[in-house]
Amino acid sequence: QLQLVESGGGSVQPGETLKLSCLGSGERLRSYAIGWYRQAAGKEREQVACISDTGFITDYPDSVGGRFTVFRDHAKNVAYLHMVRLKPEDTASYYCAAVKGTWCGPHATMDYWGKGTPVTVSS
């Protein structure tokens, strides 16, 4: 069974950069599309990135406006979320999730979830 572990979260100032990692174990991630999600206190969970199983297709909502980049390394069984020009409204717990197959649209039912890593953006 696939297990996902996120890392790389932390506290940063507005405008700074973070790179989150999602390490898979138990199975190869190459068979899964990977989504990154976030949930802020009192708000609904939001998908902030999706990358296809091949890594060739990515998608982002307008809320992250070109500041976030998702990519993956099949050899290392890892997916990443690179976040630049962070804003206070990016403060949330960030989760990666996997769904068997090619794609993970915003309303996809994901098969596996990590436990999350916190990101705080504050001056």
Side-chain angles (χ1 to χ4, degrees):
Q1 183 170 348
L2 179 64
Q3 294 184 323
L4 302 172
V5 178
E6 303 93 338
S7 61
S11 295
V12 297
Q13 294 190 343
E16 293 189 337
T17 296
L18 278 177
K19 186 174 81 171
L20 307 182
S21 300
C22 173
L23 177 65
S25 62
E27 291 187 42
R28 301 303 299 177
L29 284 181
R30 65 174 66 248
S31 299
Y32 294 84
I34 302 295
W36 281 95
Y37 298 78
R38 68 184 179 188
Q39 187 164 21
K43 295 189 176 181
E44 292 188 355
R45 186 173 61 203
E46 171 190 26
Q47 188 188 76
V48 296
C50 172
I51 185 167
S52 64
D53 55 349
T54 62
F56 293 153
I57 304 172
T58 59
D59 194 32
Y60 311 89
D62 292 341
S63 59
V64 303
R67 298 180 297 116
F68 290 10
T69 303
V70 59
F71 56 104
R72 61 194 303 168
D73 185 331
H74 285 309
K76 295 182 178 179
N77 219 37
V78 178
Y80 302 95
L81 183 68
H82 190 230
M83 307 183 293
V84 302
R85 300 192 305 278
L86 282 162
K87 304 175 181 181
E89 51 264 43
D90 295 319
T91 296
S93 289
Y94 282 73
Y95 303 85
C96 67
V99 59
K100 196 83 170 185
T102 301
W103 190 238
C104 50
H107 304 294
T109 299
M110 307 304 281
D111 295 325
Y112 300 98
W113 289 85
K115 293 184 178 181
T117 185
V119 171
T120 302
V121 185
S122 174
S123 55

